[in-house]
Amino acid sequence: MRIECPGCLKGINIPEERCPVGKVFTFSCPSCKHRIKLDLRTESTNIRSSLKLETGINKHQEKATQKKEYKRKESNRQNLEKKILQDVKDLPPMPQVVLKAQQLMADPDLDIKGVASLIETDQAIAIKVLKLANSAYYGFSGQVSSIQNAFVVLGYKTLVQILSIASFSTFMGKNLPGYGFESEDFRRHSLAVALSSKVIAEKIDPSLANEAHTAGLIHDIGKIILDKYIVEKIDTFKTFLENEQRTFLSAEKQVLGFDHAEIAYEICKKWNIPNAMTQAIKYHHYPSSSQGDRLPYILHLADYIAAKSGGGYDSDDLLYQLEEGTLDYLDLRYEDVRIIMSEVIEAMAQLSDES
Ligand SMILES: [Fe+2]
Ligand SMILES: [Fe+2]
């Protein structure tokens, strides 16, 4: 006789002589190990119809269980989504001094004194700006004595970049135990992607350099929200990563239902980050899913370069793949990538103590 396993729906042949007519018996499906129960207490001539009925009932039960499980998972996902979005709401606002300074600096009649005194209203940020401005990377070690002086020596574009690093360093200097990062790892990676994005932008379209730099700096900001939920489910994460040999990014999606790029997108909306940067951050792992702007491709390549040049996270560096077509889209070759990589390594060495 032939029956169909309600678990995997494969056909199973059972020799008639092995069917214990008049009894109920159970056995495991040889393919999927689903336990199958057969009631053969009816007349032997009715075996087929009794089997059909039994397996039919099992199938129905199976579907009902699957539906219940799906509903349970979906409700958990929705609850988690609510909690995460609340965490995004509770996140401190983007440092106001950056927003205001950027607005002032966009004014064609730039008031250098006004911007300088605005930056000086935030002592902690002003000190960091001066420390960075005097780092070896910008080439004026020990020569920048005030914010106003920094404008003159470095120019306003560079000052915007320094201001971003100084302002976001509070967010970047966090321990993320779920991801297994010390604060230094996260800060270093964010900085490496910022510098790398800037170098790439300067090669293909210098007008994108500042946006690319800031977007690079905060591209993984979603991780600061997701970290505590990863800690709660750390065993599930570890099992997934060990069994599937896949990236942390896919584990986020599989276990939590969201990845850090999607959460970063929500943070960018809260902080009123300009749309081009918000979109680039959202698609920094899948630039081909974006509207086709260059910024998501720049961030993606910068993230890849950081991962492959020691400015990444150990867990994912080896598995990090560049999305196909990225270099063609940016009109770059592997030789360019190699050059950018060494520029970023050099820059990181010059900036590492000051940021
Ligand atoms: Fe990322
Ligand atoms: Fe990253």
Side-chain angles (χ1 to χ4, degrees), residues 189 219-220 223 249 260-261 284-285 303 313 320:
H189 175 67
H219 76 290
D220 273 345
K223 290 187 176 179
L249 181 79
H260 65 270
H284 75 266
H285 286 285
D303 205 17
Y313 313 121
Y320 204 116

Side-chain angles (χ1 to χ4, degrees), residues 94-107 110-127 129 146-149 151 159-160 163-164 166-167:
M94 177 175 158
Q96 286 305 296
V97 64
V98 183
L99 269 182
K100 284 186 191 157
Q102 280 176 348
Q103 282 163 4
L104 287 175
M105 286 195 257
D107 189 335
L110 181 65
D111 171 16
I112 294 178
K113 258 192 177 175
V115 182
S117 43
L118 171 75
I119 296 172
E120 279 159 0
T121 56
D122 191 321
Q123 274 288 300
I125 288 182
I127 290 169
V129 168
S146 66
I147 302 288
Q148 203 174 324
N149 181 225
F151 262 108
L159 195 63
V160 171
L163 188 59
S164 295
S167 310

Side-chain angles (χ1 to χ4, degrees), residues 66-80:
Q66 279 173 358
K67 215 172 169 184
K68 225 173 159 185
E69 182 60 11
Y70 173 78
K71 272 191 175 171
R72 191 186 63 78
K73 277 190 178 164
E74 184 52 23
S75 137
N76 284 349
R77 200 197 64 79
Q78 283 173 2
N79 287 340
L80 187 64

Side-chain angles (χ1 to χ4, degrees), residues 179 181 189 220 223 237 240-241 245-252 260 285 303-304 306-308 312-321:
Y179 287 95
F181 309 154
H189 175 67
D220 273 345
K223 290 187 176 179
F237 268 84
F240 178 85
L241 292 169
Q245 287 293 300
R246 290 173 65 194
T247 58
F248 221 100
L249 181 79
S250 48
E252 290 169 353
H260 65 270
H285 286 285
D303 205 17
Y304 173 83
K308 303 294 175 187
Y313 313 121
D314 288 347
S315 51
D316 272 0
D317 290 353
L318 290 175
L319 297 169
Y320 204 116
Q321 301 257 334

